[in-house]
Coordinates of all heavy atoms in Angstrom, one line a residue:
Chain C
Y120 N -11.2 8.0 0.6 CA -12.1 8.7 -0.3 C -11.4 9.7 -1.2 O -11.8 10.0 -2.3 CB -13.2 9.4 0.5 CG -14.0 8.4 1.4 CD1 -13.7 8.4 2.8 CD2 -14.8 7.5 0.9 CE1 -14.3 7.5 3.6 CE2 -15.5 6.5 1.7 CZ -15.2 6.6 3.0 OH -15.8 5.6 3.9
F121 N -10.2 10.1 -0.7 CA -9.4 10.9 -1.6 C -8.9 10.1 -2.7 O -8.8 10.5 -3.9 CB -8.2 11.5 -0.7 CG -7.1 12.2 -1.5 CD1 -7.4 13.5 -2.0 CD2 -5.9 11.7 -1.7 CE1 -6.4 14.2 -2.7 CE2 -4.9 12.4 -2.4 CZ -5.2 13.6 -2.9
Y122 N -8.6 8.8 -2.5 CA -8.1 7.9 -3.5 C -9.2 7.3 -4.4 O -8.9 6.8 -5.5 CB -7.4 6.7 -2.8 CG -5.9 6.9 -2.7 CD1 -5.4 7.6 -1.6 CD2 -5.0 6.5 -3.7 CE1 -4.0 7.8 -1.5 CE2 -3.7 6.7 -3.6 CZ -3.2 7.4 -2.5 OH -1.8 7.6 -2.4
D123 N -10.5 7.4 -3.9 CA -11.6 6.8 -4.7 C -12.3 7.9 -5.5 O -13.1 8.7 -5.0 CB -12.6 6.1 -3.8 CG -13.7 5.4 -4.5 OD1 -13.8 5.7 -5.7 OD2 -14.4 4.7 -3.9
T124 N -12.0 8.0 -6.8 CA -12.5 9.1 -7.6 C -14.0 9.1 -7.8 O -14.5 10.0 -8.4 CB -11.7 9.2 -9.0 OG1 -11.7 7.9 -9.6 CG2 -10.3 9.6 -8.8
N125 N -14.6 8.0 -7.4 CA -16.1 8.0 -7.4 C -16.8 8.6 -6.2 O -18.0 8.7 -6.2 CB -16.6 6.5 -7.5 CG -16.2 5.9 -8.8 OD1 -16.3 6.5 -9.9 ND2 -15.6 4.7 -8.7
Q126 N -16.0 9.0 -5.3 CA -16.5 9.6 -4.0 C -16.3 11.1 -4.0 O -15.3 11.6 -4.5 CB -15.8 9.0 -2.8 CG -16.0 7.5 -2.7 CD -17.4 7.1 -2.3 OE1 -18.1 7.8 -1.6 NE2 -17.8 5.9 -2.6
P127 N -17.2 11.8 -3.3 CA -17.0 13.2 -3.1 C -15.8 13.5 -2.2 O -15.6 12.7 -1.2 CB -18.3 13.7 -2.5 CG -18.9 12.5 -1.9 CD -18.5 11.3 -2.7
C128 N -15.0 14.4 -2.5 CA -13.8 14.8 -1.7 C -13.4 16.2 -2.0 O -13.0 16.5 -3.1 CB -12.7 13.8 -2.0 SG -11.1 14.3 -1.3
N129 N -13.5 17.0 -0.9 CA -13.2 18.4 -1.1 C -11.7 18.7 -1.4 O -11.3 19.7 -2.0 CB -13.5 19.2 0.1 CG -15.1 19.3 0.3 OD1 -15.8 19.5 -0.7 ND2 -15.5 19.3 1.5
K130 N -10.9 17.8 -1.0 CA -9.4 17.9 -1.2 C -9.1 17.7 -2.6 O -8.3 18.4 -3.3 CB -8.7 17.0 -0.3 CG -7.2 17.3 -0.2 CD -6.5 16.2 0.7 CE -6.4 16.5 2.1 NZ -5.8 17.8 2.5
R131 N -9.7 16.6 -3.2 CA -9.5 16.3 -4.6 C -10.3 17.2 -5.5 O -9.8 17.6 -6.6 CB -9.8 14.8 -4.8 CG -9.7 14.3 -6.2 CD -9.7 12.7 -6.2 NE -10.6 12.1 -5.3 CZ -11.9 12.0 -5.4 NH1 -12.6 12.7 -6.3 NH2 -12.6 11.4 -4.4
E132 N -11.5 17.4 -5.2 CA -12.4 18.2 -6.0 C -13.1 19.2 -5.2 O -14.2 18.9 -4.6 CB -13.4 17.2 -6.7 CG -13.8 17.7 -8.1 CD -14.8 16.6 -8.6 OE1 -14.4 15.4 -8.6 OE2 -15.9 17.0 -9.0
P133 N -12.5 20.4 -5.0 CA -13.1 21.4 -4.1 C -14.6 21.6 -4.3 O -15.1 21.7 -5.5 CB -12.3 22.7 -4.4 CG -11.0 22.2 -4.9 CD -11.3 20.9 -5.7
G134 N -15.4 21.6 -3.2 CA -16.8 21.8 -3.3 C -17.6 20.6 -3.5 O -18.9 20.7 -3.4
S135 N -17.0 19.4 -3.7 CA -17.8 18.2 -3.9 C -18.3 17.6 -2.7 O -19.2 16.7 -2.7 CB -17.0 17.2 -4.7 OG -15.8 16.8 -4.0
G136 N -17.8 17.9 -1.5 CA -18.2 17.3 -0.2 C -17.1 16.4 0.3 O -16.1 16.3 -0.2
C137 N -17.4 15.8 1.5 CA -16.5 15.0 2.2 C -17.1 13.7 2.5 O -17.9 13.6 3.4 CB -15.9 15.7 3.4 SG -14.9 14.6 4.4
A138 N -16.7 12.6 1.9 CA -17.3 11.3 2.1 C -16.9 10.7 3.4 O -17.5 9.8 3.9 CB -17.0 10.4 1.0
A139 N -15.8 11.2 4.0 CA -15.3 10.6 5.2 C -16.1 11.0 6.4 O -16.1 10.3 7.4 CB -13.8 11.1 5.4
L140 N -16.8 12.1 6.4 CA -17.5 12.6 7.6 C -18.5 11.6 8.1 O -18.6 11.3 9.3 CB -18.2 14.0 7.3 CG -17.3 15.2 7.1 CD1 -18.1 16.4 6.6 CD2 -16.5 15.5 8.4
D141 N -19.2 11.0 7.1 CA -20.2 10.0 7.5 C -19.8 8.6 7.0 O -20.6 7.7 7.0 CB -21.6 10.3 6.9 CG -22.1 11.6 7.4 OD1 -22.0 11.8 8.7 OD2 -22.6 12.5 6.6

Side-chain angles (χ1 to χ4, degrees):
Chain C
Y120 305 103
F121 175 72
Y122 266 86
D123 183 348
T124 48
N125 293 314
Q126 298 286 335
C128 168
N129 289 324
K130 194 185 269 306
R131 177 167 34 73
E132 212 180 305
S135 63
C137 170
L140 289 174
D141 298 314

